[in-house]
Amino acid sequence: MRIARFSIDGNVGFGIIEGDPADEGGQLVELIKGHPFGDFERSGHKVPLAEVRLLAPVLPSKVVAVARNYTEHARELGNTVPEAPVVFFKPSTTVVGTGDPVPYPTFSQNVHHEAELAVVIGRMCSRVPRERVADVILGYTCANDVTARDTQQTEGQWARAKGFDASCPLGPWVETDIDLDAAGDLAVMCTVNGEQRQLGRTSDMVHSIADLVVHISEAMTLLPGDVILTGTPAGVGPLTVGDEVAVTVERIGTLTNKVVKRD
């Protein structure tokens, strides 16, 4: 099922998206009682998707991201492919939803898009054995690891380059009906103003989703709603103010944001 977080009439809640994804006007949101990280009930109350504002589908305590997890992306930036996953963090304040603006940071002149498949954790977990990885995943969503490339290269660590406000759009919802095997072979695409910039498949990842969950949870406890960004395929490139950037992941949907001038 597609689980969304949304606001309507000043209220925020979770709901299940129903209807054909190709028919935006015909889709509905059924409100749920409770939240998707535990037991919940379907309310039976449905509203048109067009009447709600979709928010970031989760509010993670942390976003754990993985660098250089696609060989061709590592090479396009002149980097080697790491033997073990290279992990970094994006703070919770980076997270925005589909349709939200991405303000261009004032300290950068070279901001890039990075389309990614995001894993949403469904339960508290630590030191997850490989055979239990599927049990701790709620589902998957689209992500854009927006990066200040010049800052990343000059500062030597990535806290500002990857952690500025609104640099982690997520959405439009969490798809729970994709199993771990299927998630390992999905198309990931990025367009800017309708022009394709990135196109890859998660089967090209150096380290699999299971590898990443095992590796990360060996070091830290993951909480419900935490997000793992699995890396980006080749084709990353610059964004400018006014650009509309869209990340589409097969079987999930499209995350769309506009780059705006920071006030």
Side-chain angles (χ1 to χ4, degrees), residues 142-155:
C142 309
N144 192 348
D145 176 21
V146 185
T147 301
R149 191 70 69 201
D150 48 355
T151 305
Q152 181 187 28
Q153 293 167 344
T154 59
E155 293 191 351

Side-chain angles (χ1 to χ4, degrees), residues 117-259:
L117 172 71
V119 179
V120 179
I121 299 299
R123 64 180 66 179
M124 185 171 70
C125 58
S126 176
R127 293 177 293 175
V128 180
R130 185 170 297 273
E131 64 271 16
R132 295 294 304 278
V133 167
D135 297 337
V136 306
I137 295 174
L138 174 67
Y140 303 90
T141 192
C142 309
N144 192 348
D145 176 21
V146 185
T147 301
R149 191 70 69 201
D150 48 355
T151 305
Q152 181 187 28
Q153 293 167 344
T154 59
E155 293 191 351
Q157 53 76 37
W158 303 349
R160 293 209 311 158
K162 297 274 194 177
F164 59 89
D165 289 349
S167 64
C168 188
L170 297 173
W173 39 64
V174 178
E175 176 56 76
T176 65
D177 289 338
I178 300 176
D179 64 29
L180 186 59
D181 287 340
D185 188 22
L186 297 173
V188 179
M189 181 176 67
C190 177
T191 64
V192 177
N193 302 324
E195 176 186 348
Q196 181 179 301
R197 294 276 189 88
Q198 293 180 268
L199 181 62
R201 298 196 72 84
T202 55
S203 54
D204 296 326
M205 293 193 297
V206 177
H207 304 287
S208 70
I209 294 167
D211 292 338
L212 300 181
V213 173
V214 169
H215 181 78
I216 292 165
S217 69
E218 184 179 32
M220 68 194 74
T221 298
L222 297 171
L223 302 179
D226 281 352
V227 170
I228 297 174
L229 303 188
T230 58
T232 193
V236 300
L239 296 169
T240 60
V241 171
D243 282 345
E244 184 177 83
V245 55
V247 174
T248 300
V249 178
E250 184 180 5
R251 294 185 56 183
I252 297 176
T254 299
L255 164 71
T256 303
N257 302 90
K258 189 169 185 177
V259 182

Side-chain angles (χ1 to χ4, degrees), residues 88-143:
F88 61 93
F89 294 101
K90 294 175 80 80
S92 59
T93 46
T94 62
V95 174
V96 293
T98 192
D100 288 336
V102 174
Y104 202 105
T106 56
F107 56 82
S108 175
Q109 286 75 50
N110 189 21
V111 172
H112 282 200
H113 56 81
E114 295 193 7
E116 311 204 8
L117 172 71
V119 179
V120 179
I121 299 299
R123 64 180 66 179
M124 185 171 70
C125 58
S126 176
R127 293 177 293 175
V128 180
R130 185 170 297 273
E131 64 271 16
R132 295 294 304 278
V133 167
D135 297 337
V136 306
I137 295 174
L138 174 67
Y140 303 90
T141 192
C142 309

Side-chain angles (χ1 to χ4, degrees), residues 12-101:
V12 175
F14 287 97
I16 298 170
I17 308 296
E18 298 181 347
D20 184 353
D23 180 14
E24 293 186 9
Q27 293 185 90
L28 300 172
V29 183
E30 180 178 2
L31 283 64
I32 64 173
K33 299 177 181 179
H35 60 79
F37 305 106
D39 294 332
F40 65 84
E41 298 179 9
R42 302 178 74 130
S43 68
H45 179 58
K46 303 179 182 182
V47 296
L49 179 60
E51 294 183 8
V52 308
R53 178 190 169 206
L54 290 175
L55 306 173
V58 290
L59 294 175
S61 74
K62 54 188 171 292
V63 176
V64 188
V66 180
R68 305 170 191 167
N69 201 28
Y70 287 75
T71 300
E72 292 306 313
H73 169 60
R75 289 175 177 167
E76 73 179 344
L77 297 181
N79 297 310
T80 58
V81 179
E83 291 187 10
V86 174
V87 174
F88 61 93
F89 294 101
K90 294 175 80 80
S92 59
T93 46
T94 62
V95 174
V96 293
T98 192
D100 288 336

